[in-house]
């Protein structure tokens, strides 16, 4: 059964990736908004923001990476919605394929597409002056956090992708996720915020994830931030996966 599942998922993943290569504009569009934000914050607002960091691009890059993922998963919901409306799921279910392989192919496609977008954003950040003294273990840790974060948000995207009534509704859920980094330590230190906003910012998942990535990039001790970040990502992933699979089973039953 496991071999059947993995083989079917690999075939369907190839199908989805071919669609991505035929329309690379989705990856380009995903990267454009975070790059535009990075340019605006660094070259327009950066001089007026005091973060205690030598380079503002170094300070705000972790938040931009999270925004890149949040904007990219909107396309996952869109692709799922289009496949649902086009009857692709029913067509594959009538064939001898593993029931969940179609869904997993979409999830893995989202992971690959978002990782490519993250690499593009990182390259632009390097051109803008981003520098890191992090070693290989730190870079691998950053990659692990971003992969886990991407999977968590992708499984959230699966739910509206399967259940939305309109194309706009399928992707609109990503807007609050894109806005969330602005209420965190992504762009300014939380101690500059008024009391209630600061309390929210310091206890929401983005702040711990951003702080952990920032510490890894700069070679500073990560403290408890990395464990809090991993706990948030794993918790969101687990809850989103359960609800997504329930929605999927209800839709294909």
């Amino acid at each position: 059964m496991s071999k059947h599942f993995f083989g079917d998922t690999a075939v369907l993943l190839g199908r989805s990736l071919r669609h991505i290569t035929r329309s690379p504009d989705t990856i380009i569009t995903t990267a454009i908004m975070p790059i535009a934000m990075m340019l605006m914050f660094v070259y327009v607002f950066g001089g007026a923001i005091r973060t205690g960091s030598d380079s503002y691009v170094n300070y705000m890059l972790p938040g931009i990476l999270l925004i890149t993922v949040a904007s990219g998963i909107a396309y996952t919901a869109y692709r799922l919605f289009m496949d649902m409306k086009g009857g692709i799921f029913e067509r594959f279910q009538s064939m001898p394929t593993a029931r969940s392989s179609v869904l997993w192919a979409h999830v893995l496609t989202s992971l690959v597409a978002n990782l490519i977008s993250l690499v593009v954003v990182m390259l632009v950040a390097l051109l803008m002056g981003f520098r890191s003294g992090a070693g290989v273990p730190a870079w691998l840790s950053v990659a692990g956090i971003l992969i886990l974060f991407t999977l968590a948000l992708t499984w959230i995207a699966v739910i509206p992708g399967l259940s939305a009534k309109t194309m706009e509704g399928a992707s609109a859920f990503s807007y609050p996720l894109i806005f969330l980094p602005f209420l965190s330590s992504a762009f300014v230190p939380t101690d500059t915020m008024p009391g209630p906003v600061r309390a929210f910012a310091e206890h929401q998942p983005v702040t711990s994830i951003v702080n952990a990535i920032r510490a890894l990039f700069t070679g500073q001790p990560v403290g408890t931030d990395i464990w809090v970040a991993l706990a948030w990502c794993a918790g969101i992933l687990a809850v989103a996966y359960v609800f997504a699979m329930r929605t999927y089973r209800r839709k294909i039953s």
Side-chain angles (χ1 to χ4, degrees):
M1 180 67 180
S2 60
K3 290 183 179 179
H4 188 51
F5 166 77
F6 288 117
D8 292 343
T9 301
V11 171
L12 295 172
L13 174 60
R15 164 189 173 267
S16 296
L17 290 177
R18 282 193 294 273
H19 289 176
I20 294 292
T21 58
R22 290 170 186 167
S23 57
D25 55 300
T26 57
I27 294 177
I28 295 171
T29 305
T30 298
I32 280 178
M33 185 182 70
I35 290 172
M37 286 185 180
M38 190 160 53
L39 290 169
M40 179 178 66
F41 272 92
V42 172
Y43 295 124
V44 178
F45 302 131
I49 299 175
R50 297 290 177 262
T51 62
S53 174
D54 292 336
S55 172
Y56 186 59
V57 67
N58 285 8
Y59 183 88
M60 51 94 72
L61 179 60
I64 291 294
L65 296 178
L66 299 193
I67 289 176
T68 303
V69 175
S71 60
I73 60 168
Y75 287 100
T76 303
Y78 168 78
R79 287 190 292 265
L80 276 167
F81 174 82
M82 295 305 293
D83 275 1
M84 286 294 294
K85 292 300 180 182
I88 298 296
F89 280 82
E90 289 81 0
R91 194 177 309 167
F92 282 123
Q93 292 304 320
S94 67
M95 301 168 64
T97 58
R99 290 169 65 89
S100 60
S101 59
V102 185
L103 191 60
W104 272 101
H106 276 282
V107 171
L108 294 176
T109 300
S110 171
L111 179 61
V112 172
N114 278 291
L115 289 178
I116 294 172
S117 297
L118 288 170
V119 170
V120 172
V121 172
M122 284 292 302
L123 291 175
V124 174
L126 287 170
L127 293 175
M128 294 174 61
F130 169 74
R131 296 295 181 268
S132 172
V136 173
W139 277 100
L140 291 176
S141 298
V142 170
I145 292 172
L146 290 175
I147 288 172
L148 192 59
F149 181 75
T150 302
L151 287 173
L153 292 199
T154 297
W155 280 106
I156 292 177
V158 167
I159 300 170
L162 293 173
S163 58
K165 302 299 183 183
T166 64
M167 181 176 65
E168 292 77 12
S171 56
F173 82 98
S174 65
Y175 297 147
L177 299 178
I178 294 172
F179 181 71
L180 201 56
F182 292 97
L183 294 175
S184 74
S185 63
F187 298 103
V188 295
T190 56
D191 57 12
T192 64
M193 301 176 181
V197 178
R198 177 179 178 178
F200 174 80
E202 291 180 346
H203 295 91
Q204 59 120 321
V206 170
T207 291
S208 59
I209 297 170
V210 164
N211 289 346
I213 294 176
R214 185 179 292 137
L216 289 166
F217 276 152
T218 57
Q220 300 296 319
V222 293
T224 60
D225 280 323
I226 190 167
W227 303 114
V228 175
L230 291 173
W232 271 113
C233 290
I236 294 170
L237 173 58
V239 173
Y241 175 79
V242 170
F243 279 96
M245 292 305 295
R246 286 181 180 177
T247 305
Y248 180 61
R249 293 189 186 100
R250 187 171 63 250
K251 285 291 182 179
I252 65 174
S253 60

